Amino acid sequence: MRISFTLNGEPQNRQVNPFDKATSILAEQCGQESVKTSCAIGRCGACTILVDGKSANACLLIAAKMDGTDVVTAEGLGARADAIIDRLRQNGAIQCGYCAPGLLISLVALLERAPDGDKLERQELETVLAGNLCRCSGYTALRKAILALSS
Amino acid sequence: MNAVTGLEEKLRGTFRYLAEGQPEGTLHGALLTSPLAHATIRRLDVSAARSLNGVHAVVTAADVPSDFLMGTAILDRPPLARAKVRFQGEPIAAVAAETKAIADAALALIAFELEPLPIVSAPRDALDEGAAKLHDSGNLCSDFIYSRGDARADFEDCAHVIDHTLTTPRQVPAAMELEGGICIPSPTGIELRAATHSPFYTRSLIASMLGLPDKEVRVIGSPIGGSYGGKEEIHIQPVLALLAWTARRPVRLVLERSQSMAFATTRHPFEIALKIGCDRAGRLLALTADVLVDNGAYASFGPEVLDTGMECIQSAYAFKSVSLRGRLAYTNNGVGGAFRGFGALQTLTAIELAVDILARKASIDPLAFRRINLAGANDPGPLGQAIIPQPELSKVADALSALPVWRDETPSQRYLSGTGYALVRKGEGFAGGGPNGASGVLALTLDGQVTFQSSLVEMGQGLESTVRNILLASFDLGDADICCATGSSDAGADSGPTSASRGTQIALRLIRAGKMPFLEKLYVGAAEILQVPMDALRLGPGGFYQRMAPQNKPDLSLSDLAASAGEIVTRIDIPGIETTQAGVKVHTLFTACAARAGVRIDRWTGQVVCTGLDLLPACGPPISPLAFHGQMTGAGAQALGFCLTEHQPYEEGTVMARNFDSYFIPTIADVPDINVHPVTWLAPDDPVGIRGAGEIGLNAAAPAIANAVASALDAAPTHLPVRPEWVLGVLARQGRTP
Ligand code: FES
Ligand code: FES
């Protein structure tokens, strides 16, 4: 079947098979290597993308479901992510970086959702980010960076 | 300064890992793995798979030279199973095809018959007389014996003696990036892009397998998307290289998580039986240890892991007498291998638990008890070897005592809380006989950059940023003038493995050793071009300045120097820091670290939560503070997993946890804020000046967490990870269940 969607603002028209996952279409056909596959069962968050503004695990998404949606990957975040990246840099929150694009998407979704001036609670941050595994960092610098950013 | 290079690219997803960005026409590689844990291969017929349209290579053990085996001390592992399979998930054959669908179809066409053999599922059974043998040499892969003094007699003099046995988990490295890579053949050789800690070692191994000269194999081993030792092992590179060399086409082969959970080497489960005793004053008199290790199916790093574990089993304490025995047994439970902590983590956790039990029995505060027994600054090493003196040990103990007191958890009906301590040391680099020496290059490249070239690899630990900091501190240059080239066999100099916490130490010693000879070449070149004496010149940001006429701009830029003088290269070789003692492999350089952990235990559910963790590593002044901090906090989280959540169980050789729905690495919600308090003091005459940060945090954090559980429950864990059922059982026995 053919599907059309926008990817980072660009219209796409792709031939997909019924069993294709969004991960393989985005990474292999659309060259979005930011969409990584690590667990492929929705546990690690390495494949996180935005679909119509909400974060989603691409590995759990049937490619056909992207039809008619607006998809954003870490590669397409542009200036939306500048402030977050700055904080993560200052705190040294990223190491090998394999988790990083998925993490960045989750953070953008989380911080853009929080109404202006609303302070992000530690528990909310942890609940949302528990779906983004990072094996390197121990999360300490990440938590510090983001809680400070939102306050 | 950044903790790691490429941070923004990593976050935005434009950073390229080695298995990404394959050339046009790259084939899809796939593996046929064994469904059985122990079996004879009766038949293996790949002819139908080979003749399928779109298949370009099908390889089996028949395509590998019959004497080619892998390993370190013991060579016993074929890259593809030969005649026998020894663990579930062992690769039997591999295919390279034009699409994934064709590769899968080809796998299904491979006809094979396995005849089951009895499964060796526990190390104790493995060493039984009548056990099925995994290898012709028998199931004892290696052993370790050491004694000093007369432990039996000294136990007689003890006022307090305790026994404790601890079984540790099979922890999986589980890097987010899976094992895999891309291999691109040329008419005469291959380029292999796949994670390794040792590009040169991998190169010669692959070259010998393919019958190629070393120079025809190019290995690019970094950047790595996480390793922790897991990718120090030779993983899928030989199969990948074989596929590409056979197909004469580029091949990409990346494992799936479920394959990786069976195939990747894991932390060895240890069963550690300890007996220790002290006199009335709390002085440790005697230690006996009997250690049995589940090695899995192939030797890999097992013998070195056992040796390191046994060497570190006395932690940072001075025992009067010790009697140690360790055995490493082959089983059909996957393959054990290198993993941050490398055997020491297991034995340090056991001894630190035992020390706390004994201190409690002797009614001495655990910190005071540790102080009484701390090894002296100039004492010989744990196995009697000469070591670099460790006067910092007492500073670490001081810092641990000086930590601000925990805010007290509000006592409640439902929760118990506990605080645990640990004070440990671990050998750094390789034990005597290992590749401790290293080479590197300082070069002024044609584009005018002072570049440190090495085959050390970047895996997220921040090696590149650390090297940049060392270069900036060594040469009066600007950020734009320096460069760090890592991670491949192109380096022209083999720096040895990036492992055993040695990366930073090696880089620092290489740059220090090369600095003067390199500078001299630069000054000679500059003086000749500018036609002034050398002492009239000064190297500064951008190039050379004439001392007499201070300028904003260099009189000779580095690129002009390179343009006239050509590339200026200094090759550097440094010897290892090592000693060998008859029969026993020992370390010379030790790193100390202390830790304090807090836990909260839910009496209703038996669940243990780590509520706080302080780490006090004595590594000297951090060269790259953010990277250093990250190494410690990352290690803390892995220690938490080791103690509380992570274990790969095997049942009769069957892998039980195949993905992150049954294998639990800690999430952000599980890990508390980890506080790092570096103890930066090292002796002024310390010959190295720093210690590596890679492993030591883990080795202190795990025993501290285990001790916190013991203090909360008044019962020391016997198995890690601590299971809620065990906690509830202890509470029931104590009559403390709500
Ligand atoms: S790959 Fe999608 S959540 Fe892990
Ligand atoms: S930085 Fe390596 S997994 Fe997160």
Side-chain angles (χ1 to χ4, degrees), chain B residues 54-388:
Chain B
V55 171
H56 292 256
V58 181
V59 296
T60 68
D63 302 291
V64 178
S66 61
D67 57 350
F68 179 80
L69 290 169
M70 310 184 297
T72 48
I74 299 170
L75 304 179
D76 63 1
R77 180 172 187 177
L80 289 161
R82 188 180 293 157
K84 255 180 98 162
V85 291
R86 297 183 175 86
F87 68 97
Q88 192 185 55
E90 180 167 10
I92 296 175
V95 305
E98 281 161 21
T99 64
K100 180 173 184 319
I102 299 174
D104 288 342
L107 290 180
L109 286 175
I110 297 176
F112 68 104
E113 246 171 70
L114 299 179
E115 184 179 315
L117 291 165
I119 290 166
V120 180
S121 53
R124 207 162 285 284
D125 303 342
L127 299 181
D128 275 352
E129 199 62 22
K133 282 186 188 168
L134 272 89
H135 298 271
D136 293 341
S137 55
N139 290 341
L140 182 66
C141 176
S142 82
D143 61 358
F144 177 101
I145 298 281
Y146 174 83
S147 67
R148 176 178 76 237
D150 186 348
R152 192 185 302 229
D154 287 335
F155 274 119
E156 300 288 318
D157 296 337
C158 286
H160 308 282
V161 175
I162 63 104
D163 288 293
H164 189 67
T165 300
L166 177 73
T167 304
T168 64
R170 188 186 325 274
Q171 189 177 25
V172 183
M176 289 297 108
E177 177 199 52
L178 289 151
E179 295 81 2
I182 296 173
C183 186
I184 303 163
S186 71
T188 56
I190 57 162
E191 176 179 315
L192 181 62
R193 306 178 186 165
T196 174
H197 291 217
S198 313
F200 281 89
Y201 169 73
T202 303
R203 177 174 82 163
S204 57
L205 186 94
I206 300 295
S208 80
M209 178 186 75
L210 296 178
L212 292 171
D214 277 7
K215 67 172 180 24
E216 295 294 350
V217 175
R218 177 173 188 225
V219 172
I220 301 173
S222 84
I224 305 178
S227 170
Y228 329 109
K231 292 168 186 157
E232 178 166 9
E233 304 280 343
I234 296 295
H235 44 98
I236 209 63
Q237 301 99 320
V239 177
L240 173 59
L242 207 55
L243 282 175
W245 188 237
T246 308
R248 305 281 159 172
R249 288 265 297 264
V251 177
R252 177 178 189 266
L253 172 64
V254 177
L255 296 188
E256 290 174 6
R257 181 61 63 185
S258 58
Q259 292 177 318
S260 168
M261 289 298 288
F263 172 82
T265 49
T266 63
R267 189 183 300 293
H268 297 81
F270 276 45
E271 182 187 301
I272 304 154
L274 296 177
K275 180 177 170 187
I276 59 173
C278 65
D279 65 14
R280 216 162 294 282
R283 279 186 299 255
L284 287 167
L285 295 186
L287 158 70
T288 59
D290 195 3
V291 175
L292 183 58
V293 179
D294 183 349
N295 190 46
Y298 293 103
S300 183
F301 284 99
E304 293 84 356
V305 164
L306 175 68
D307 287 349
T308 305
M310 298 309 293
E311 185 190 28
C312 293
I313 203 164
Q314 298 167 65
S315 193
Y317 311 119
F319 286 88
K320 184 167 172 228
S321 59
V322 300
S323 170
L324 313 176
R325 175 173 82 147
R327 291 171 299 164
L328 182 68
Y330 286 119
T331 67
N332 295 116
N333 300 334
V335 185
F339 190 167
R340 206 176 190 186
F342 209 75
L345 174 63
Q346 294 92 320
T347 58
L348 286 167
T349 305
I351 190 70
E352 288 288 311
L353 277 169
V355 160
D356 262 28
I357 300 171
L358 187 62
R360 216 170 298 136
K361 191 159 183 202
S363 307
I364 300 175
D365 163 77
L367 291 185
F369 192 86
R370 284 176 168 78
R371 239 172 223 292
I372 295 171
N373 290 295
L374 210 55
N378 295 305
D379 284 3
L383 303 183
Q385 76 268 36
I387 61 170
I388 293 172

Side-chain angles (χ1 to χ4, degrees), chain B residues 293-599:
Chain B
V293 179
D294 183 349
N295 190 46
Y298 293 103
S300 183
F301 284 99
E304 293 84 356
V305 164
L306 175 68
D307 287 349
T308 305
M310 298 309 293
E311 185 190 28
C312 293
I313 203 164
Q314 298 167 65
S315 193
Y317 311 119
F319 286 88
K320 184 167 172 228
S321 59
V322 300
S323 170
L324 313 176
R325 175 173 82 147
R327 291 171 299 164
L328 182 68
Y330 286 119
T331 67
N332 295 116
N333 300 334
V335 185
F339 190 167
R340 206 176 190 186
F342 209 75
L345 174 63
Q346 294 92 320
T347 58
L348 286 167
T349 305
I351 190 70
E352 288 288 311
L353 277 169
V355 160
D356 262 28
I357 300 171
L358 187 62
R360 216 170 298 136
K361 191 159 183 202
S363 307
I364 300 175
D365 163 77
L367 291 185
F369 192 86
R370 284 176 168 78
R371 239 172 223 292
I372 295 171
N373 290 295
L374 210 55
N378 295 305
D379 284 3
L383 303 183
Q385 76 268 36
I387 61 170
I388 293 172
Q390 279 202 286
E392 71 274 17
L393 277 176
S394 64
K395 305 267 179 195
V396 176
D398 291 346
L400 185 61
S401 305
L403 281 181
V405 190
W406 286 117
R407 46 184 168 74
D408 241 343
E409 288 278 336
T410 20
S412 87
Q413 285 289 45
R414 180 164 171 186
Y415 297 105
L416 299 168
S417 58
T419 304
Y421 299 90
L423 203 173
V424 304
R425 64 169 160 186
K426 179 187 179 285
E428 178 172 322
F430 304 109
N436 271 331
S439 304
V441 169
L442 275 171
L444 176 67
T445 52
L446 289 178
D447 52 8
Q449 282 189 313
V450 169
T451 303
F452 176 64
Q453 299 167 350
S454 75
S455 65
L456 296 171
V457 301
E458 171 64 47
M459 49 193 128
Q461 84 277 42
L463 176 91
E464 290 178 358
S465 63
T466 301
V467 165
R468 292 183 69 89
N469 282 352
I470 298 172
L471 289 174
L472 289 175
S474 307
F475 302 99
D476 185 12
L477 289 171
D479 211 44
D481 305 326
I482 55 159
C483 178
C484 166
T486 47
S488 89
S489 61
D490 299 348
D494 183 359
S495 318
T498 307
S499 61
S501 309
R502 77 197 276 274
T504 302
Q505 178 235 111
I506 292 294
L508 180 69
R509 288 173 55 220
L510 282 169
I511 294 171
R512 254 195 221 152
K515 177 180 165 177
M516 290 322 286
F518 177 64
L519 272 179
E520 185 172 333
K521 284 188 189 170
L522 293 188
Y523 272 89
V524 168
E528 209 172 286
I529 293 163
L530 292 172
Q531 290 294 311
V532 293
M534 265 169 26
D535 56 13
L537 289 173
R538 173 178 75 79
L539 180 64
F544 279 93
Y545 298 75
Q546 306 220 27
R547 284 182 192 279
M548 286 299 111
Q551 306 273 332
N552 295 332
K553 261 177 55 183
D555 298 286
L556 177 67
S557 72
L558 286 172
S559 37
D560 288 345
L561 173 58
S564 324
E567 214 177 41
I568 296 178
V569 174
T570 298
R571 189 194 150 96
I572 319 153
D573 302 282
I574 53 168
I577 305 171
E578 60 179 61
T579 56
T580 29
Q581 178 174 301
V584 204
K585 290 184 172 169
V586 291
H587 289 88
T588 307
L589 181 62
F590 280 79
T591 309
C593 186
R596 177 178 68 178
V599 298

